[in-house]
Structures are given as C-alpha cells and as structure tokens.
Amino acid sequence: MDAVNFLVQCLNAVQYGLLLFLLASGLTLIFGIMGVINLAHGSFYMLGAYMAFVLTPWFADSFLLMLVAGGVLSALFGYVLEWAFYSYLYERAHLQQVLMAWALILVFEELRSLAVGNDVHGVPVPAWLSGSVPLGELMTYPVYRLFASVACIAIAAALYWLVNRTRLGMMIRAGASNRDMVRGLGIDIRRLYRIVFAGGVALAALAGMIAAPMSSVYPGMGSSVLIICFVVVVIGGIGSITGALLASLLVGFVDTFGKVFFAEYAGIGVYLLMALVLIWRPEGLLSVRRA
C-alpha cells in the first residue's frame, strides 16, 4: 500500500469512526444515566436518514439548515417519546425495557413502510459539496466525506462543551455517576432524563442525516448499525463520552484496515478488539465510576 492509499484509508476510518461516535455518544448517555437498554436507538439513525430523504426537496441546497431542522425535530420527537413510553421503564426489569424497545422498532418500521414505502432511496449530495480533492496524481477524495468528518468533529466539540462547561452538563455527569445523589440535591431527574433522551435521539438522527448522501436509505438500516453501536459503548465504557470517541475511532480503524488487509476475516476484527479490551479492562476504556 502506497502513501496515498494509506491516507485515503485513514480518512475513511476517521470518517466512519466519527459517525459511529455520534450514534454511540447518545446511546452511552441514555444507558449510563437512565439505565435503559435502548434497542430502538438504531431506529433513530434510520429516522434521520429518511428525514434527509424527505426534507431534501424542501431545503434544496440549504443542507446545513436541513441538518439544523432535522436535529430540532428529532430532539422534539425524542422528548415526547421519553414522556410517552420510556418514562415508565426506569423501575422496571431490563427484560421489560428490551420488550418495549423491540415493540417500538416494529412500530417504527411499519410507520416507515406506510409513509415512504419499502424501496431503496438515494439522497443527493449537495451541489456545493459534490466535488473532490486530488490526492496524488491518480486519486481523489470526495469533498462530502471531508465535510462529514468536519461536521462530526464540530458536533463532538459542542457536545464536549455542553457536558463539561455548562450547568446542564454538570447535572448529566452527576447523574451518570450517582443518580440518587442527583435526586437528593433537588434536581428534577425526570426532566433531566427527557433532555438526555432527546439529545441522544438528535445525535443518532444527525448521524443518519449526514450518512444518507454517502449510502442508500433502505428499510432496516437501523438494525445494521445497532450492534456495532453497542460494541462501541462497551469498549469505551458505559456513560463515558470520551470513551465513546476513543472506541469509535478504534473501531473505525480496525474495521477499515481489516477490510483492506484481511478481507475474509474483517467481520470478526471489531469483536476481537472488544474481547481484548474487555480482558484488559472489563469496565471499558474510560467507564464512569458509580458511587
């Protein structure tokens, strides 16, 4: 592999890893703070992808505005969804949480089928991002993939600022460490749960919207990312945003270069990584310690 090919694969790995981070950061917050095993998280990714497909004709080339609108709509949807369904699960057994999430997956898939059908759809790349950047004499790299990486980094930076530099972030970090203490301090834990869940849904939907122009929009696409998302959460440590970022980039590099060098065994590379990390650190790379 020459230097240009190596650079292309590194860019692909980073872009894939950052998209995984958007998905996994929401999931690790929901699981770490609320204690809910949200198997429907992949459906929110699908929601974002189909939202991009539906909203694209309305926003034309205003792709950034479409992302903002989609993020706001998905956050509102997540807030209502937590109030209507998930708020009844906190004191229930994990089996009941799983059954509720599975039921929601089936409902979302049926609603998606009724609304837009079962065909595979494509989302066009915005005209201002449709070019490519030359790499060496023979190869180019799509501008949109670079934009996807930059957008994910910007969202990650905003999330870091929110969690580490704001009062809401302080409550989120406290809730991830000790939910009972947060209740004892008089903080409305139910409202905090709804905000966290709405943020998790918005992050997953944004990942789907950003990924839509790079791949097809198709039925069941949420299921394909759910397992790898849980792998990232386990490797990074439940409740840790920084751990989710490190784990996402690790998974991105292992998956990308595994397909290049060990194509026949690439499918097991990520799970082998998870096994090795769990042997070394059973709690994950940067798990949040609970009091």
Side-chain angles (χ1 to χ4, degrees):
M1 178 183 292
D2 58 28
V4 175
N5 278 317
F6 178 76
L7 176 60
V8 168
Q9 297 305 327
C10 285
L11 290 173
N12 287 335
V14 170
Q15 178 259 308
Y16 176 52
L18 290 172
L19 272 179
L20 278 180
F21 169 71
L22 287 192
L23 269 168
S25 58
L27 183 60
T28 196
L29 280 176
I30 292 172
F31 195 10
I33 295 176
M34 301 165 61
V36 174
I37 303 175
N38 184 27
L39 293 182
H41 198 72
S43 296
F44 306 141
Y45 173 81
M46 179 188 71
L47 169 69
Y50 275 94
M51 194 180 298
F53 169 70
V54 172
L55 293 179
T56 293
W58 291 81
F59 286 88
D61 284 335
S62 301
F63 188 71
L64 294 178
L65 184 59
M66 184 186 73
L67 290 180
V68 173
V72 172
L73 289 174
S74 55
L76 291 174
F77 172 73
Y79 194 91
V80 173
L81 189 67
E82 193 280 340
W83 168 77
F85 295 100
Y86 284 88
S87 60
Y88 299 98
L89 296 178
Y90 303 130
E91 307 301 329
R92 305 288 184 90
H94 286 315
L95 177 59
Q96 291 175 300
Q97 297 174 4
V98 169
L99 291 175
M100 170 67 84
W102 182 252
L104 288 175
I105 291 174
L106 298 179
V107 170
F108 292 150
E109 286 290 343
E110 188 62 25
L111 291 175
R112 185 265 317 146
S113 178
L114 293 173
V116 295
N118 295 314
D119 295 332
V120 177
H121 302 285
V123 176
V125 174
W128 59 284
L129 294 172
S130 60
S132 59
V133 176
L135 296 177
E137 297 180 356
L138 301 176
M139 299 191 68
T140 60
Y141 196 78
V143 171
Y144 184 80
R145 286 186 173 269
L146 295 175
F147 165 80
S149 297
V150 172
C152 290
I153 291 172
I155 296 171
L159 183 62
Y160 175 85
W161 173 82
L162 174 68
V163 172
N164 294 280
R165 296 289 186 269
T166 67
R167 186 172 184 273
L168 174 61
M170 179 180 64
M171 291 188 290
I172 290 173
R173 285 183 282 117
S177 300
N178 192 323
R179 291 193 292 269
D180 293 331
M181 179 191 69
V182 171
R183 290 191 185 97
L185 291 174
I187 295 173
D188 187 350
I189 194 70
R190 295 282 181 169
R191 181 170 174 269
L192 179 63
Y193 283 174
R194 282 177 193 150
I195 293 173
V196 169
F197 191 85
V201 172
L203 289 170
L206 282 172
M209 295 182 76
I210 292 172
M214 295 185 290
S215 61
S216 300
V217 179
Y218 55 91
M221 62 185 299
S223 302
S224 61
V225 301
L226 179 63
I227 295 178
I228 196 68
C229 190
F230 270 105
V231 168
V232 169
V233 170
V234 170
I235 293 176
I238 295 172
S240 173
I241 297 295
T242 305
L245 177 59
L246 293 176
S248 298
L249 292 174
L250 277 174
V251 168
F253 275 90
V254 169
D255 183 75
T256 300
F257 283 94
K259 290 176 180 176
V260 173
F261 294 108
F262 309 101
E264 295 182 359
Y265 306 101
I268 67 172
V270 171
Y271 304 103
L272 180 61
L273 171 66
M274 180 177 69
L276 292 174
V277 170
L278 291 180
I279 291 173
W280 171 49
R281 289 181 63 86
E283 70 279 8
L285 293 176
L286 296 172
S287 64
V288 174
R289 296 186 179 276
R290 292 191 176 278

